[in-house]
Amino acid sequence: MRRNPSGFSFNVTNLQENLGLVPAHAQLALLMSEAYWGTDYLAALADRAGRYGGWEAVRERFLQPRAWTRMAVRRGDFGEAIAAQYLKEVEQYHIPVPKLRFKMAANQTLPGTDCIAFKLDNARLVEACYVESKVRTSLDLSVAVAGTGQLRQDADTTTLESLTFVARYINGSDKNHAAIAPYVLSSS
């Protein structure tokens, strides 16, 4: 359920916890691996690196270094990954640019909006969604207000660059390019 509390310019989505479906540590680790690299990429890399140790080499070279990321960066990355997964699985959005895959170093934070997602209906764009995620273990709406301010600032200063990047990234490689490209071009 979405609601728009008076005075706020963001939507709050109420989620009901289902303790029968709490993801295991391994499932969350898989979610983060998918967000950072894509599990298909890691599997292909492990296959090609067979003579260097296969999955063990991939674990040591790619997965372990992320474990030493600063806590604030890990929380931010986790929030982005959870938000993107929620948008894909529950809200049925298409996310053509998995932003976390563009990190070049474990403690790097990437500029701009956390996620740009598109809702499609029969290959027709019906909604664009700009996401800024904030992970907290307690209710603190001031963080959401700050996130809204961050989205406003991004909208005023970097939307054109972000949408240009999305257009370049999906050009010809994304099956939904024809539906998304007109929005990207008209928003420029």
XYZ file of all heavy atoms in Angstrom, residues 62-159:
767
model
N 36.703 -11.353 -6.031
C 35.554 -10.466 -6.175
C 34.696 -10.361 -4.916
O 34.297 -9.271 -4.538
C 34.657 -10.930 -7.340
C 35.305 -10.759 -8.681
C 36.011 -11.790 -9.256
C 35.216 -9.561 -9.353
C 36.615 -11.640 -10.486
C 35.813 -9.394 -10.586
C 36.522 -10.439 -11.153
N 34.380 -11.492 -4.308
C 33.409 -11.478 -3.218
C 34.001 -11.030 -1.886
O 33.402 -10.224 -1.181
C 32.755 -12.846 -3.088
C 32.057 -13.359 -4.359
C 31.483 -14.740 -4.139
C 31.003 -12.390 -4.833
N 35.164 -11.554 -1.523
C 35.760 -11.196 -0.232
C 36.099 -9.709 -0.106
O 35.868 -9.128 0.956
C 36.994 -12.049 0.056
C 36.646 -13.413 0.562
C 37.878 -14.230 0.900
O 38.963 -13.983 0.387
N 37.695 -15.213 1.770
N 36.636 -9.069 -1.142
C 36.948 -7.642 -0.970
C 35.733 -6.788 -0.601
O 35.864 -5.800 0.105
C 37.512 -7.232 -2.340
C 38.087 -8.492 -2.879
C 37.159 -9.579 -2.407
N 34.541 -7.162 -1.058
C 33.340 -6.397 -0.713
C 33.007 -6.536 0.770
O 32.369 -5.667 1.338
C 32.140 -6.852 -1.540
C 32.275 -6.610 -3.000
C 32.201 -5.143 -3.344
N 32.450 -5.026 -4.773
C 32.302 -3.948 -5.465
N 31.903 -2.853 -4.897
N 32.564 -3.934 -6.742
N 33.441 -7.621 1.385
C 33.162 -7.836 2.808
C 33.903 -6.808 3.669
O 33.514 -6.559 4.805
C 33.549 -9.247 3.225
N 34.937 -6.197 3.131
C 35.724 -5.238 3.905
C 35.308 -3.795 3.610
O 35.981 -2.860 4.011
C 37.211 -5.440 3.626
C 37.625 -6.818 3.978
C 37.995 -7.808 3.114
C 37.653 -7.412 5.276
N 38.267 -8.970 3.800
C 38.063 -8.749 5.129
C 37.373 -6.939 6.560
C 38.195 -9.612 6.204
C 37.504 -7.803 7.627
C 37.912 -9.122 7.445
N 34.201 -3.625 2.957
C 33.661 -2.294 2.679
C 33.208 -1.638 3.977
O 32.705 -2.313 4.873
C 32.472 -2.413 1.700
O 32.916 -3.072 0.525
C 31.902 -1.065 1.342
N 33.372 -0.317 4.068
C 32.911 0.422 5.247
C 31.423 0.161 5.486
O 30.639 0.035 4.552
C 33.135 1.922 5.063
C 34.574 2.343 5.129
C 34.747 3.860 5.136
N 33.664 4.625 4.571
C 33.682 5.211 3.373
N 34.741 5.114 2.613
N 32.636 5.904 2.943
N 31.022 0.110 6.745
C 29.645 -0.227 7.119
C 28.632 0.720 6.466
O 27.598 0.283 5.962
C 29.482 -0.210 8.637
C 28.094 -0.605 9.097
S 27.582 -2.269 8.582
C 28.577 -3.253 9.673
N 28.891 2.010 6.465
C 27.945 2.970 5.869
C 27.754 2.684 4.380
O 26.635 2.773 3.867
C 28.433 4.396 6.084
N 28.819 2.331 3.695
C 28.724 2.023 2.261
C 27.960 0.716 2.064
O 27.102 0.613 1.186
C 30.127 1.956 1.614
C 30.045 1.517 0.152
C 30.836 3.302 1.732
N 28.244 -0.283 2.894
C 27.523 -1.566 2.790
C 26.031 -1.375 3.013
O 25.213 -1.962 2.312
C 28.067 -2.586 3.792
C 29.313 -3.266 3.308
C 29.636 -4.468 4.139
N 29.680 -4.128 5.552
C 30.413 -4.740 6.441
N 31.151 -5.748 6.104
N 30.396 -4.374 7.699
N 25.662 -0.572 4.007
C 24.236 -0.321 4.267
C 23.587 0.373 3.080
O 22.473 0.041 2.683
C 24.055 0.513 5.529
C 24.235 -0.279 6.783
C 23.899 0.558 8.004
N 24.108 -0.230 9.198
C 24.621 0.234 10.307
N 24.968 1.494 10.401
N 24.786 -0.555 11.348
N 24.271 1.356 2.521
C 23.738 2.053 1.355
C 23.561 1.113 0.178
O 22.524 1.122 -0.501
N 24.566 0.278 -0.082
C 24.480 -0.697 -1.173
C 23.350 -1.686 -0.928
O 22.599 -2.031 -1.856
C 25.801 -1.459 -1.329
C 26.924 -0.604 -1.888
O 26.678 0.575 -2.249
O 28.061 -1.118 -1.953
N 23.214 -2.130 0.323
C 22.153 -3.077 0.666
C 20.784 -2.443 0.423
O 19.897 -3.058 -0.165
C 22.299 -3.521 2.132
C 21.278 -4.526 2.565
C 21.324 -5.831 2.102
C 20.267 -4.165 3.445
C 20.372 -6.771 2.505
C 19.315 -5.097 3.855
C 19.378 -6.399 3.377
N 20.622 -1.194 0.848
C 19.362 -0.490 0.624
C 19.038 -0.361 -0.857
O 17.902 -0.577 -1.282
N 20.053 -0.030 -1.661
C 19.841 0.071 -3.102
C 19.443 -1.273 -3.691
O 18.528 -1.351 -4.529
C 21.105 0.578 -3.795
C 21.378 2.037 -3.571
C 22.576 2.540 -4.346
O 22.766 2.119 -5.511
O 23.318 3.377 -3.795
N 20.122 -2.339 -3.275
C 19.820 -3.673 -3.809
C 18.419 -4.128 -3.409
O 17.678 -4.675 -4.239
C 20.869 -4.679 -3.324
N 18.040 -3.896 -2.161
C 16.702 -4.286 -1.692
C 15.633 -3.469 -2.421
O 14.620 -4.009 -2.863
C 16.587 -4.106 -0.160
C 17.453 -5.126 0.567
C 15.136 -4.179 0.305
C 16.988 -6.559 0.463
N 15.857 -2.162 -2.557
C 14.881 -1.305 -3.243
C 14.705 -1.749 -4.692
O 13.575 -1.862 -5.188
C 15.309 0.159 -3.173
N 15.801 -2.020 -5.379
C 15.721 -2.453 -6.781
C 15.010 -3.800 -6.895
O 14.154 -3.991 -7.773
C 17.120 -2.528 -7.389
N 15.340 -4.716 -6.001
C 14.696 -6.031 -6.034
C 13.197 -5.913 -5.763
O 12.381 -6.562 -6.415
C 15.352 -6.976 -5.024
C 14.919 -8.408 -5.143
C 15.401 -9.059 -6.433
O 16.317 -8.586 -7.086
N 14.766 -10.143 -6.816
N 12.832 -5.072 -4.803
C 11.418 -4.837 -4.500
C 10.706 -4.280 -5.733
O 9.619 -4.736 -6.095
C 11.289 -3.863 -3.314
C 9.873 -3.371 -3.113
C 8.926 -4.151 -2.457
C 9.474 -2.138 -3.612
C 7.619 -3.711 -2.302
C 8.171 -1.690 -3.455
C 7.250 -2.480 -2.804
O 5.957 -2.052 -2.652
N 11.308 -3.280 -6.363
C 10.679 -2.685 -7.548
C 10.490 -3.711 -8.665
O 9.457 -3.736 -9.329
C 11.503 -1.502 -8.063
C 11.447 -0.246 -7.211
C 12.485 0.768 -7.683
C 10.055 0.361 -7.234
N 11.485 -4.578 -8.848
C 11.385 -5.595 -9.905
C 10.353 -6.661 -9.561
O 9.492 -6.992 -10.368
C 12.749 -6.253 -10.151
C 13.728 -5.347 -10.860
C 14.977 -6.069 -11.315
C 15.844 -6.504 -10.158
N 17.165 -6.995 -10.562
N 10.458 -7.211 -8.368
C 9.633 -8.364 -7.997
C 8.203 -8.011 -7.622
O 7.283 -8.713 -8.005
C 10.288 -9.125 -6.839
C 11.616 -9.740 -7.166
C 11.509 -10.868 -8.179
O 10.527 -11.625 -8.140
O 12.424 -10.978 -9.014
N 8.016 -6.956 -6.854
C 6.692 -6.632 -6.337
C 5.960 -5.636 -7.238
O 4.806 -5.837 -7.579
C 6.779 -6.091 -4.887
C 5.415 -5.685 -4.363
C 7.421 -7.137 -3.973
N 6.635 -4.567 -7.611
C 5.993 -3.510 -8.387
C 6.100 -3.720 -9.901
O 5.520 -2.969 -10.667
C 6.592 -2.150 -8.016
C 6.432 -1.790 -6.551
C 4.998 -1.477 -6.163
O 4.181 -1.170 -7.044
O 4.700 -1.534 -4.952
N 6.889 -4.721 -10.324
C 7.036 -5.074 -11.741
C 7.649 -3.958 -12.587
O 7.247 -3.726 -13.722
C 5.691 -5.527 -12.331
C 5.067 -6.717 -11.623
C 5.935 -7.968 -11.755
O 6.203 -8.410 -12.855
N 6.359 -8.535 -10.638
N 8.641 -3.273 -12.052
C 9.379 -2.265 -12.805
C 10.522 -2.936 -13.555
O 11.022 -3.988 -13.147
C 9.977 -1.209 -11.873
C 9.014 -0.128 -11.456
C 8.237 -0.273 -10.319
C 8.900 1.035 -12.195
C 7.361 0.721 -9.930
C 8.017 2.040 -11.802
C 7.256 1.867 -10.674
O 6.392 2.858 -10.295
N 10.955 -2.288 -14.602
C 12.129 -2.710 -15.364
C 13.259 -1.758 -14.997
O 13.082 -0.529 -15.052
C 11.827 -2.658 -16.865
C 13.014 -2.925 -17.723
N 13.637 -4.150 -17.755
C 13.703 -2.122 -18.566
C 14.654 -4.086 -18.593
N 14.718 -2.876 -19.094
N 14.405 -2.288 -14.612
C 15.555 -1.467 -14.234
C 16.680 -1.786 -15.207
O 17.385 -2.782 -15.056
C 15.974 -1.736 -12.772
C 14.788 -1.438 -11.853
C 17.195 -0.898 -12.407
C 14.983 -1.836 -10.417
N 16.846 -0.951 -16.240
C 17.813 -1.271 -17.283
C 19.271 -1.087 -16.876
O 20.155 -1.715 -17.459
C 17.442 -0.318 -18.423
C 16.776 0.825 -17.764
C 16.080 0.258 -16.550
N 19.539 -0.231 -15.891
C 20.919 0.031 -15.481
C 21.099 -0.364 -14.021
O 20.653 0.346 -13.124
C 21.291 1.518 -15.674
C 22.717 1.776 -15.212
C 21.118 1.931 -17.129
N 21.729 -1.516 -13.776
C 22.002 -1.928 -12.391
C 23.196 -1.132 -11.846
O 24.351 -1.496 -12.025
C 22.313 -3.420 -12.519
C 22.736 -3.609 -13.945
C 22.130 -2.512 -14.751
N 22.902 -0.023 -11.206
C 23.913 0.972 -10.844
C 25.094 0.413 -10.055
O 26.243 0.786 -10.304
C 23.242 2.098 -10.055
C 24.176 3.234 -9.692
C 23.434 4.322 -8.949
C 24.391 5.367 -8.423
N 23.702 6.347 -7.595
N 24.835 -0.488 -9.121
C 25.931 -0.993 -8.283
C 26.990 -1.747 -9.091
O 28.123 -1.879 -8.653
C 25.388 -1.888 -7.168
C 24.630 -1.163 -6.063
C 24.037 -2.163 -5.080
C 25.510 -0.163 -5.350
N 26.648 -2.207 -10.275
C 27.627 -2.919 -11.104
C 28.677 -1.984 -11.689
O 29.651 -2.443 -12.280
C 26.917 -3.678 -12.222
C 26.089 -4.810 -11.674
C 25.515 -5.659 -12.756
N 24.555 -6.594 -12.177
C 23.762 -7.342 -12.893
N 23.808 -7.295 -14.211
N 22.923 -8.161 -12.304
N 28.494 -0.688 -11.536
C 29.450 0.264 -12.082
C 30.463 0.732 -11.046
O 31.307 1.577 -11.344
C 28.705 1.460 -12.696
C 27.972 1.070 -13.939
C 26.660 0.635 -13.878
C 28.611 1.075 -15.166
C 25.994 0.237 -15.014
C 27.953 0.683 -16.316
C 26.642 0.259 -16.238
N 30.404 0.171 -9.846
C 31.401 0.499 -8.829
C 32.734 -0.127 -9.224
O 32.794 -1.278 -9.614
C 30.973 -0.048 -7.463
C 29.787 0.678 -6.876
C 29.375 0.080 -5.566
C 30.366 0.468 -4.516
N 29.827 0.411 -3.159
N 33.801 0.661 -9.111
C 35.116 0.130 -9.447
C 35.905 -0.270 -8.209
O 36.905 -0.969 -8.322
C 35.901 1.157 -10.267
C 35.229 1.428 -11.603
S 36.128 2.479 -12.767
C 36.842 3.739 -11.780
N 35.471 0.167 -7.036
C 36.168 -0.149 -5.794
C 35.128 -0.372 -4.696
O 34.033 0.182 -4.740
C 37.103 0.987 -5.403
N 35.489 -1.174 -3.732
C 34.551 -1.583 -2.690
C 33.941 -0.402 -1.932
O 32.755 -0.391 -1.657
C 35.233 -2.529 -1.714
N 34.736 0.590 -1.569
C 34.226 1.701 -0.771
C 33.748 2.885 -1.608
O 33.436 3.939 -1.069
C 35.286 2.169 0.233
C 35.360 1.237 1.418
O 34.347 0.926 2.033
N 36.549 0.771 1.723
N 33.677 2.699 -2.907
C 33.227 3.764 -3.784
C 31.721 3.979 -3.633
O 30.949 3.030 -3.549
C 33.545 3.401 -5.233
C 33.121 4.451 -6.231
C 33.424 4.019 -7.655
O 33.692 2.864 -7.927
N 33.369 4.965 -8.571
N 31.320 5.224 -3.569
C 29.899 5.548 -3.642
C 29.692 6.262 -4.970
O 30.480 7.127 -5.349
C 29.445 6.440 -2.473
O 30.226 7.626 -2.459
C 29.593 5.711 -1.144
N 28.647 5.870 -5.677
C 28.383 6.432 -6.991
C 27.450 7.625 -6.869
O 26.519 7.620 -6.060
C 27.767 5.366 -7.893
C 28.689 4.170 -8.169
C 27.930 3.075 -8.905
C 29.911 4.597 -8.958
N 27.685 8.652 -7.673
C 26.846 9.845 -7.587
C 25.472 9.611 -8.199
O 25.268 8.702 -8.985
C 27.630 10.874 -8.410
C 28.375 10.044 -9.409
C 28.720 8.762 -8.685
N 24.544 10.466 -7.818
C 23.243 10.481 -8.471
C 22.212 9.582 -7.833
O 22.438 8.933 -6.812
N 21.071 9.576 -8.465
C 19.913 8.806 -8.038
C 20.276 7.334 -7.944
O 20.968 6.803 -8.808
C 18.771 9.035 -9.047
O 18.501 10.439 -9.079
C 17.527 8.286 -8.676
N 19.797 6.666 -6.887
C 20.135 5.256 -6.671
C 19.641 4.353 -7.796
O 20.313 3.402 -8.170
C 19.554 4.747 -5.349
C 20.287 5.297 -4.142
O 21.372 5.884 -4.302
O 19.764 5.137 -3.025
N 18.452 4.635 -8.298
C 17.848 3.722 -9.272
C 16.861 4.497 -10.144
O 16.116 5.328 -9.646
C 17.120 2.613 -8.501
S 16.247 1.437 -9.523
N 16.908 4.225 -11.430
C 15.896 4.735 -12.353
C 15.187 3.512 -12.906
O 15.812 2.638 -13.502
C 16.512 5.584 -13.474
C 17.269 6.784 -12.889
C 15.426 6.054 -14.447
C 18.020 7.610 -13.908
N 13.881 3.450 -12.659
C 13.094 2.276 -13.038
C 11.940 2.709 -13.941
O 11.469 3.840 -13.868
C 12.557 1.583 -11.790
N 11.503 1.782 -14.776
C 10.434 2.072 -15.723
C 9.364 1.005 -15.615
O 9.674 -0.191 -15.564
C 10.979 2.097 -17.156
C 12.060 3.117 -17.351
C 13.400 2.768 -17.268
C 11.746 4.444 -17.604
C 14.408 3.705 -17.434
C 12.745 5.394 -17.770
C 14.076 5.024 -17.687
N 8.113 1.440 -15.586
C 6.989 0.501 -15.597
C 6.463 0.465 -17.028
O 6.184 1.502 -17.628
C 5.889 0.909 -14.633
C 4.814 -0.182 -14.510
C 3.929 0.033 -13.316
C 4.627 -0.534 -12.090
N 3.726 -0.754 -10.975
N 6.357 -0.747 -17.547
C 5.920 -0.952 -18.921
C 4.628 -1.746 -18.933
O 4.401 -2.589 -18.070
C 6.994 -1.700 -19.708
C 8.379 -1.035 -19.719
C 9.445 -2.023 -20.102
C 8.373 0.156 -20.648
N 3.797 -1.480 -19.930
C 2.568 -2.239 -20.137
C 2.467 -2.529 -21.630
O 2.320 -1.604 -22.435
C 1.351 -1.441 -19.651
C 0.054 -2.222 -19.775
O 0.105 -3.468 -19.795
O -1.005 -1.580 -19.850
N 2.589 -3.803 -21.982
C 2.567 -4.198 -23.395
C 3.570 -3.397 -24.211
O 3.236 -2.812 -25.236
C 1.160 -4.059 -23.986
C 0.208 -5.051 -23.372
O 0.575 -6.197 -23.120
N -1.020 -4.615 -23.112
N 4.810 -3.345 -23.747
C 5.922 -2.662 -24.412
C 5.692 -1.156 -24.548
O 6.260 -0.512 -25.418
C 6.225 -3.300 -25.760
N 4.860 -0.592 -23.682
C 4.593 0.846 -23.672
C 4.967 1.379 -22.293
O 4.554 0.837 -21.279
C 3.116 1.100 -23.962
C 2.756 2.561 -24.153
C 1.270 2.722 -24.487
N 0.399 2.247 -23.430
C 0.080 2.945 -22.338
N 0.577 4.138 -22.157
N -0.729 2.445 -21.437
N 5.753 2.449 -22.275
C 6.162 3.055 -21.016
C 4.978 3.759 -20.374
O 4.320 4.574 -21.012
C 7.287 4.062 -21.260
C 7.797 4.810 -20.033
C 8.511 3.865 -19.083
C 8.713 5.932 -20.445
N 4.698 3.414 -19.116
C 3.585 4.060 -18.412
C 4.048 4.865 -17.197
O 3.298 5.711 -16.708
C 2.493 3.042 -17.984
C 1.816 2.450 -19.193
C 3.056 1.962 -17.095
N 5.279 4.614 -16.725
C 5.741 5.347 -15.546
C 7.255 5.259 -15.435
O 7.852 4.226 -15.734
C 5.101 4.737 -14.296
C 5.384 5.487 -13.019
C 4.633 4.874 -11.843
O 3.384 4.840 -11.881
O 5.290 4.437 -10.897
N 7.863 6.361 -15.027
C 9.284 6.384 -14.689
C 9.385 6.615 -13.190
O 8.601 7.372 -12.617
C 10.011 7.485 -15.438
N 10.325 5.952 -12.549
C 10.455 6.012 -11.099
C 11.913 6.309 -10.759
O 12.816 5.604 -11.202
C 10.026 4.661 -10.511
S 10.156 4.552 -8.725
N 12.133 7.364 -9.978
C 13.465 7.741 -9.517
C 13.537 7.407 -8.035
O 12.682 7.827 -7.265
C 13.694 9.239 -9.747
C 13.667 9.607 -11.204
C 12.457 9.832 -11.855
C 14.837 9.705 -11.925
C 12.429 10.160 -13.199
C 14.808 10.040 -13.276
C 13.610 10.263 -13.905
O 13.584 10.578 -15.235
N 14.554 6.649 -7.649
C 14.613 6.093 -6.297
C 15.870 6.534 -5.567
O 16.974 6.474 -6.103
C 14.582 4.543 -6.347
C 14.706 3.943 -4.962
C 13.337 4.053 -7.058
N 15.678 6.951 -4.337
C 16.771 7.178 -3.401
C 16.445 6.346 -2.181
O 15.395 6.524 -1.571
C 16.886 8.659 -3.028
C 18.009 8.984 -2.068
C 19.382 8.647 -2.623
O 19.608 8.829 -3.831
O 20.224 8.187 -1.825
N 17.285 5.389 -1.857
C 16.995 4.501 -0.727
C 17.796 4.939 0.493
O 18.918 5.419 0.368
C 17.327 3.049 -1.081
O 18.701 2.914 -1.369
N 17.182 4.764 1.641
C 17.825 5.072 2.923
C 17.510 3.925 3.870
O 16.349 3.642 4.141
C 17.296 6.385 3.518
C 17.516 7.610 2.647
C 18.981 7.946 2.537
C 19.215 9.174 1.678
N 20.605 9.323 1.302
N 18.539 3.250 4.345
C 18.347 2.114 5.245
C 18.551 2.566 6.684
O 19.578 3.147 7.019
C 19.333 0.965 4.916
C 19.247 -0.146 5.942
C 19.068 0.428 3.527
N 17.549 2.312 7.505
C 17.636 2.602 8.929
C 16.954 1.468 9.681
O 16.054 0.814 9.159
C 16.932 3.927 9.284
C 17.530 5.156 8.625
C 18.959 5.408 9.123
N 19.574 6.571 8.529
C 20.260 6.578 7.390
N 20.379 5.485 6.679
N 20.822 7.688 6.953
N 17.380 1.249 10.906
C 16.751 0.213 11.723
C 15.661 0.784 12.614
O 15.019 0.049 13.344
C 17.801 -0.513 12.592
O 18.493 0.456 13.377
C 18.776 -1.283 11.718
N 15.473 2.097 12.553
C 14.385 2.734 13.304
C 13.693 3.734 12.393
O 14.268 4.206 11.416
C 14.926 3.429 14.550
O 15.821 4.458 14.175
N 12.453 4.061 12.723
C 11.678 4.992 11.927
C 12.237 6.405 12.101
O 12.294 6.925 13.205
C 10.204 4.954 12.344
C 9.278 5.875 11.560
C 9.270 5.486 10.086
C 7.871 5.799 12.123
N 12.684 6.978 11.009
C 13.228 8.328 11.035
C 12.857 8.999 9.717
O 13.573 8.898 8.737
C 14.745 8.294 11.213
C 15.361 9.679 11.324
O 14.619 10.680 11.229
O 16.593 9.757 11.487
N 11.688 9.666 9.708
C 11.198 10.280 8.480
C 12.084 11.430 8.014
O 12.052 11.789 6.837
C 9.756 10.743 8.641
C 8.712 9.625 8.735
C 7.318 10.212 8.893
C 8.776 8.707 7.536
N 12.924 11.973 8.891
C 13.808 13.052 8.452
C 14.804 12.534 7.409
O 15.224 13.287 6.530
C 14.549 13.675 9.637
O 15.475 12.757 10.193
N 15.147 11.263 7.489
C 16.038 10.669 6.499
C 15.332 10.596 5.143
O 15.926 10.869 4.098
C 16.511 9.261 6.957
C 17.317 8.577 5.878
C 17.330 9.385 8.236
N 14.042 10.264 5.168
C 13.266 10.234 3.931
C 13.137 11.630 3.343
O 13.211 11.813 2.126
C 11.890 9.617 4.180
N 12.964 12.625 4.195
C 12.884 14.011 3.726
C 14.210 14.404 3.075
O 14.229 15.021 2.007
C 12.513 14.964 4.884
C 12.632 16.416 4.453
C 11.107 14.666 5.391
N 15.333 14.030 3.705
C 16.651 14.319 3.125
C 16.807 13.605 1.780
O 17.355 14.174 0.827
C 17.756 13.900 4.086
N 16.322 12.372 1.683
C 16.376 11.634 0.420
C 15.563 12.313 -0.664
O 15.964 12.365 -1.835
N 14.410 12.864 -0.282
C 13.576 13.604 -1.227
C 14.322 14.841 -1.720
O 14.308 15.159 -2.916
C 12.245 14.000 -0.575
O 11.572 12.822 -0.163
C 11.360 14.783 -1.529
N 14.987 15.528 -0.804
C 15.791 16.692 -1.194
C 16.906 16.309 -2.147
O 17.201 17.036 -3.109
N 17.507 15.156 -1.901
C 18.562 14.658 -2.776
C 18.010 14.375 -4.170
O 18.628 14.722 -5.180
C 19.172 13.397 -2.159
C 20.475 12.981 -2.750
C 21.099 11.840 -1.950
O 20.833 11.650 -0.759
N 21.927 11.075 -2.612
N 16.814 13.766 -4.236
C 16.187 13.506 -5.537
C 15.865 14.816 -6.256
O 16.053 14.922 -7.475
C 14.914 12.673 -5.370
C 15.108 11.186 -5.131
C 13.781 10.526 -4.802
C 15.763 10.515 -6.324
N 15.380 15.815 -5.506
C 15.086 17.123 -6.119
C 16.358 17.750 -6.686
O 16.362 18.289 -7.787
C 14.478 18.055 -5.085
C 13.014 17.921 -4.962
C 12.426 19.134 -4.219
N 11.114 18.769 -3.753
C 10.784 18.583 -2.493
N 11.663 18.767 -1.543
N 9.566 18.232 -2.159
N 17.430 17.682 -5.910
C 18.704 18.243 -6.373
C 19.176 17.505 -7.617
O 19.620 18.134 -8.587
C 19.755 18.163 -5.273
C 21.085 18.764 -5.692
C 22.134 18.672 -4.615
O 21.911 18.114 -3.546
N 23.299 19.215 -4.893
N 19.079 16.169 -7.610
C 19.459 15.396 -8.797
C 18.601 15.782 -9.994
O 19.105 15.918 -11.115
C 19.307 13.892 -8.537
C 20.361 13.337 -7.595
O 21.318 14.071 -7.257
O 20.214 12.171 -7.182
N 17.295 15.965 -9.765
C 16.382 16.341 -10.849
C 16.787 17.690 -11.448
O 16.722 17.879 -12.668
C 14.943 16.387 -10.344
N 17.229 18.604 -10.602
C 17.616 19.930 -11.075
C 18.980 19.959 -11.747
O 19.240 20.814 -12.586
C 17.625 20.932 -9.912
C 16.239 21.214 -9.366
O 15.244 20.921 -10.058
O 16.157 21.708 -8.220
N 19.857 19.020 -11.373
C 21.248 19.140 -11.835
C 21.754 17.989 -12.689
O 22.608 18.214 -13.541
C 22.198 19.306 -10.634
O 22.077 18.165 -9.782
C 21.898 20.574 -9.854
N 21.268 16.769 -12.467
C 21.903 15.637 -13.162
C 20.944 14.726 -13.932
O 21.386 13.728 -14.486
C 22.692 14.755 -12.166
O 21.779 14.205 -11.212
C 23.783 15.543 -11.471
N 19.661 15.053 -13.985
C 18.723 14.165 -14.674
C 19.111 13.971 -16.132
O 19.090 12.851 -16.640
C 17.280 14.684 -14.561
O 16.918 14.675 -13.186
C 16.311 13.810 -15.332
